Amino acid sequence: MKPLNLFLGLLSGCVCLGPLAAGEKSLIDTTRSPHAKFYMPDLGDVRWNGGLLGDRFEVCRTVMIPHMWTIFADPHESHAWDNFLMAAGLGEGRGTGKPHGPPFNDGDFLKWVEALAQVYAVTKDPKIDAEMDRIIEVVGKAQREDGYLHTHKIVPQRRGQSGAVAKEFEDREHFETYNMGHLITTACVHYRATGKTTMLALARKAADYIDQLCKTRPQELARNAICPSHYMGVVELYRVTREPRYLELAKQLIEIRSLVPPEVGSDHNQDRTPFRESTEAVGHAVRANYLYAGVADLYAENGDATLLKPLLALSHDVAGQKLYITGMTGALYDGASPDGADHRQHRYIKTIHQAYGRDYQLPNLTAYNETCATIGYGMWIWRMLTVTGDAAYADLFEQTLYNGVLPGISLEGKDYFYVNPLKKLNDFDYPLRWSRTRQPNYKSSFCCPPNVVRTIAEAHNYVYSLSPGAVWVNLYAASTLDTKWTDGSRIKLRQETEYPWNGAVKLVIEDAPAAETTLKFRIPGWLSPDQIVVKLNGAVLPSQFQPGTYGFIKRAWKAGDTVELAMNFQPTLWEANPLVEETVNQVTIKYGPLVYCVESNDLPEGVRLEDVALSLTTPAGFQAQRESIAGADVLTFTLNGLALPRRDWVKGELYRPVTPAAPRPVTFKAVPYYACGNRGDTEMSVWLPVR
Ligand SMILES: [Zn+2]
């Protein structure tokens, strides 16, 4: 920092940084990460041109974000904003003077602010800027002078209370580092969107507090690294500030996990074994995925091969044994870890909440699949793509975005899933902890709604990426890219497509450097080689494009050049590995990247969902039609299936002899899974038996 800037910075309490270069205003800035294969365009450089994801962004901007503020601002619906006001000395919290709501609400509120910052980067709406200024002022007043931010402790501290109620890091389930981590991440996005350092100054204070704790009480800090959003946050802060001490802090945060004593560590929090010894995903899936994402961020910077090795093993373990076809993770409400010091001893077995199960343990009716776990998985897998360039990770990212993230919120944008089952039957009315119908609010845990809103607000950042002399097309969606490489050269590209409703994609170059540039485009791994045709300026190219890789064309591009991809995908029946007991002899429908499901309101009169099956010998005869569900344009399929004669089960009847009966042909409809539950409280199933 120059002396004058330092002086002015000290005077105003602001952080003084140089102007941001191309790529440094991106969601995740890997422009200078030595072990990243590419970097993202800036936050406002990709624009949707309608389409499925563009429509979701518009609903996010116009409904999801403003509606969520009405929840946060109403103390009868949420305590998050109220707690910040109290901590800032600006309110009385319904007159009780006590913070309320879940202790991780600070971080959840800040995720929503991140969504605001992203939308501002696209729209430059001055009202959003002013709204963020107002919020940041309150958050700044709520934050303690030493950088600590957790309203549940700050409020009693400011009221002179002592004891456990006011003591920080007393209870690891208070998520203090999670809250501060989201402050740091949101501040990076806010700075990149606005150029203002007001929130970044708060983030630095929080990171400095964590840094101090890391030096003085590392074991305590490690023990409290619950849902460690601060790993990603601190690496991103390093990328903004370029101060090596923040990268060193990120490294230390991973190293100190080994300090958690065996009697405290558990698979629940992934701290029973040191990270480098991890070979399979365990425990609370949100915590696991946030941890893995943070480690991948660190690897992108320091290239520590001892971090990459477990990351690869873990990602293969999840994709190969523990991932739902919808790209969701964390199958079990309550699991158990028998992997203690001596697994033969019952006393070492620990319970695990919202857990990665054992291999192939993927129930449908009782699936947990917290929306945050899916989002955490997406963040982790994106980072795996970033550090490997392996198109298989782009496939996984797309799978989880469409089928895991999008269902987390209703099409109208006001109701949320906390858990995401793949099957819902009204007769299965066993009360579980969370509703299997989307809800307008979750007062005891509002982590998922703002997480899904920020992810939808930010989805355009993942469509394209850049590396020296190359532009990557990772996702197919109607959009425009207008960006610059770090060397200042410009690329402008328009993507015309109705994907995922069909596989025709046209990439139109509008501006490109004079020098040869490589256009890389993902050939999805779920295509067969004969399902892809690539044309350059109308001429078919030799069939050298392998599914599961990035195809590429290198040339000196001129304005008007076109590349067309014809991905000839059709609705297809998929099956699961038979070791997944819950889906034995069942199939599901996939169309391109989308998983489909059948809902009870699309069945013929008198046919129940439990009685419906598909035939492997009679073609399903998929008939595609475009229609509107809850105001959203979707592609549905009418298909031929079978229905068994109904014979009701008596309550308490668990088994009975089979009555032979011939199934009769029926016709019904399948809808994209992400659109389920938007036409009333329907029964639903992703998987259907085959007869
Ligand atoms: Zn959540």
Side-chain angles (χ1 to χ4, degrees):
M1 196 179 285
K2 292 174 186 168
L4 178 62
N5 281 352
L6 178 63
F7 172 72
L8 291 173
L10 291 171
L11 206 63
S12 63
C14 80
V15 186
C16 296
L17 297 164
L20 290 167
E24 292 182 352
K25 286 184 274 186
S26 57
L27 181 64
I28 304 162
D29 172 15
T30 53
T31 49
R32 285 184 274 178
S33 306
H35 303 277
K37 304 289 186 196
F38 58 57
Y39 53 92
M40 282 177 155
D42 285 344
L43 288 165
D45 286 358
V46 180
R47 303 293 170 111
W48 298 118
N49 295 332
L52 195 170
L53 294 173
D55 174 57
R56 293 294 86 209
F57 179 86
E58 274 312 293
V59 175
C60 182
R61 183 180 71 80
T62 57
V63 180
M64 296 178 194
I65 289 177
H67 175 72
M68 194 162 281
W69 171 249
T70 67
I71 295 174
F72 282 132
D74 179 353
H76 297 287
E77 291 296 321
S78 168
H79 301 274
W81 182 236
D82 215 29
N83 289 343
F84 273 111
L85 289 172
M86 267 193 293
L90 299 170
E92 275 305 307
R94 297 189 200 180
T96 66
K98 288 183 191 165
H100 287 275
F104 40 84
N105 236 351
D106 294 358
D108 298 329
F109 177 79
L110 293 164
K111 288 178 208 163
W112 174 78
V113 180
E114 185 184 325
L116 272 184
Q118 170 59 76
V119 170
Y120 174 76
V122 172
T123 64
K124 299 293 179 189
D125 180 348
K127 280 195 286 235
I128 296 178
D129 193 26
E131 191 177 5
M132 291 191 291
D133 285 347
R134 189 169 60 89
I135 290 165
I136 292 164
E137 191 179 342
V138 172
V139 173
K141 284 181 177 164
Q143 187 179 30
R144 219 168 55 191
E145 197 45 47
D146 64 358
Y148 177 77
L149 181 68
H150 177 46
T151 58
H152 271 250
K153 296 292 180 183
I154 290 174
V155 171
Q157 286 172 2
R158 294 216 163 142
R159 286 163 200 266
Q161 292 177 263
S162 57
V165 71
K167 191 176 175 200
E168 57 251 39
F169 294 104
E170 178 76 0
D171 176 357
R172 71 193 320 215
E173 299 292 329
H174 254 257
F175 295 82
E176 282 137 300
T177 53
Y178 166 87
N179 288 331
M180 286 184 270
H182 276 295
L183 169 69
I184 297 168
T185 297
T186 299
C188 293
V189 177
H190 174 261
Y191 168 61
R192 291 163 178 167
T194 64
K196 295 181 180 179
T197 56
T198 43
M199 198 175 200
L200 198 60
L202 312 183
R204 293 176 74 124
K205 280 170 71 175
D208 293 348
Y209 173 84
I210 294 171
D211 192 26
Q212 196 56 33
L213 210 60
C214 195
K215 291 187 172 82
T216 55
R217 290 144 68 191
Q219 193 177 67
E220 199 173 339
L221 181 62
R223 192 161 44 83
N224 284 277
I226 302 285
C227 244
S229 69
H230 58 308
Y231 298 170
M232 284 180 274
V234 166
V235 175
E236 214 55 47
L237 186 62
Y238 161 71
R239 290 166 175 165
V240 169
T241 63
R242 296 292 149 190
E243 289 189 28
R245 66 196 180 98
Y246 290 130
L247 183 59
E248 179 59 25
L249 172 59
K251 180 170 175 285
Q252 289 307 318
L253 289 172
I254 305 302
E255 301 300 338
I256 63 174
R257 293 182 67 86
S258 306
L259 302 177
V260 176
E263 68 273 16
V264 175
S266 71
D267 281 339
H268 191 206
N269 204 43
Q270 298 83 34
D271 51 11
R272 182 180 60 80
T273 53
F275 175 78
R276 288 183 176 81
E277 293 170 26
S278 305
T279 55
E280 61 176 320
V282 294
H284 192 298
V286 188
R287 301 178 186 193
N289 295 341
Y290 273 51
L291 162 65
Y292 306 153
V295 174
D297 264 340
L298 178 59
Y299 170 77
E301 299 303 324
N302 74 4
D304 180 348
T306 66
L307 296 177
L308 182 62
K309 189 178 170 203
L311 284 172
L312 291 169
L314 289 161
S315 66
H316 295 154
D317 173 56
V318 173
Q321 276 94 224
K322 296 184 171 78
L323 186 70
Y324 281 92
I325 196 164
T326 50
M328 296 166 175
T329 63
L332 307 180
Y333 267 75
D334 301 291
S337 173
D339 298 327
D342 182 345
H343 66 269
R344 291 163 299 181
Q345 299 286 326
H346 268 225
R347 63 199 161 98
Y348 288 114
I349 296 176
K350 292 187 177 179
T351 59
I352 294 177
H353 174 44
Q354 54 195 78
Y356 270 111
R358 293 297 200 185
D359 290 355
Y360 308 108
Q361 203 173 10
L362 298 166
N364 296 310
L365 273 169
T366 62
Y368 197 94
N369 285 343
E370 187 187 332
T371 305
C372 283
T374 298
I375 293 166
Y377 181 67
M379 293 193 294
W380 170 33
I381 288 307
W382 175 261
R383 286 158 172 79
M384 294 305 294
L385 174 63
T386 305
V387 298
T388 64
D390 182 346
Y393 288 115
D395 283 353
L396 288 167
F397 182 83
E398 180 184 59
Q399 180 183 355
T400 203
L401 175 65
Y402 280 112
N403 307 295
V405 175
L406 293 186
I409 189 162
S410 63
L411 293 171
E412 289 176 339
K414 294 183 178 178
D415 296 307
Y416 318 101
F417 271 139
Y418 191 90
V419 295
N420 292 267
L422 277 73
K423 185 172 195 172
K424 186 167 172 290
L425 294 176
N426 291 339
D427 286 345
F428 187 82
D429 56 1
Y430 182 79
L432 292 165
R433 212 162 294 135
W434 300 102
S435 170
R436 281 157 281 184
T437 306
R438 287 191 192 87
Q439 298 293 307
N441 195 356
Y442 294 89
K443 291 185 181 177
S444 63
S445 191
F446 200 66
C447 51
C448 300
N451 220 2
V452 76
V453 168
R454 72 165 174 152
T455 306
I456 291 172
E458 292 166 345
H460 58 274
N461 295 294
Y462 301 100
V463 179
Y464 307 95
S465 47
L466 300 161
S467 59
V471 57
W472 305 48
V473 184
N474 307 305
L475 298 176
Y476 298 112
S479 56
T480 304
L481 169 71
D482 187 355
T483 195
K484 288 179 178 168
W485 279 273
T486 50
D487 67 4
S489 52
R490 182 187 185 210
I491 177 85
K492 188 172 180 197
L493 181 159
R494 192 172 75 250
Q495 184 179 165
E496 298 173 359
T497 182
E498 293 190 316
Y499 188 95
W501 308 132
N502 65 60
V505 174
K506 187 175 186 182
L507 303 166
V508 183
I509 305 294
E510 297 187 345
D511 193 6
E516 281 195 334
T517 306
T518 304
L519 178 69
K520 302 182 77 165
F521 41 89
R522 178 175 65 99
I523 313 291
W526 37 262
L527 289 173
S528 58
D530 61 350
Q531 284 180 309
I532 175 78
V533 175
V534 181
K535 290 182 190 171
L536 173 62
N537 292 331
V540 174
L541 296 177
S543 54
Q544 60 192 355
F545 300 100
Q546 288 302 313
T549 67
Y550 280 88
F552 63 91
I553 301 172
K554 185 176 183 182
R555 61 190 255 122
W557 298 92
K558 293 184 182 59
D561 280 350
T562 60
V563 172
E564 290 169 84
L565 277 68
M567 292 179 276
N568 181 29
F569 54 76
Q570 301 296 327
T572 311
L573 299 183
W574 284 57
E575 62 185 349
N577 186 310
L579 294 176
V580 182
E581 189 177 7
E582 289 83 353
T583 46
V584 169
N585 294 330
Q586 295 175 67
V587 294
T588 190
I589 300 159
K590 276 193 77 183
Y591 178 65
L594 296 174
V595 174
Y596 275 67
C597 68
V598 174
E599 292 192 279
S600 51
N601 49 350
D602 292 321
L603 297 175
E605 188 71 28
V607 174
R608 295 279 301 270
L609 191 59
E610 299 101 302
D611 304 323
V612 171
L614 290 175
S615 168
L616 289 185
T617 51
T618 308
F622 291 101
Q623 294 282 331
Q625 56 267 321
R626 296 288 278 270
E627 61 179 296
S628 176
I629 295 182
D633 181 32
V634 300
L635 185 79
T636 63
F637 292 105
T638 302
L639 64 153
N640 303 318
L642 300 167
L644 286 167
R646 182 79 193 152
R647 196 178 143 223
D648 287 336
W649 288 80
V650 179
K651 185 86 175 169
E653 185 184 23
L654 192 55
Y655 307 104
R656 69 185 182 193
V658 171
T659 304
R664 65 184 172 91
V666 288
T667 301
F668 52 85
K669 197 162 72 179
V671 301
Y673 173 73
Y674 78 83
C676 78
N678 279 279
R679 296 172 295 164
D681 192 11
T682 55
E683 296 187 305
M684 174 278 296
S685 186
V686 167
W687 295 94
L688 293 176
V690 288
R691 306 256 181 214

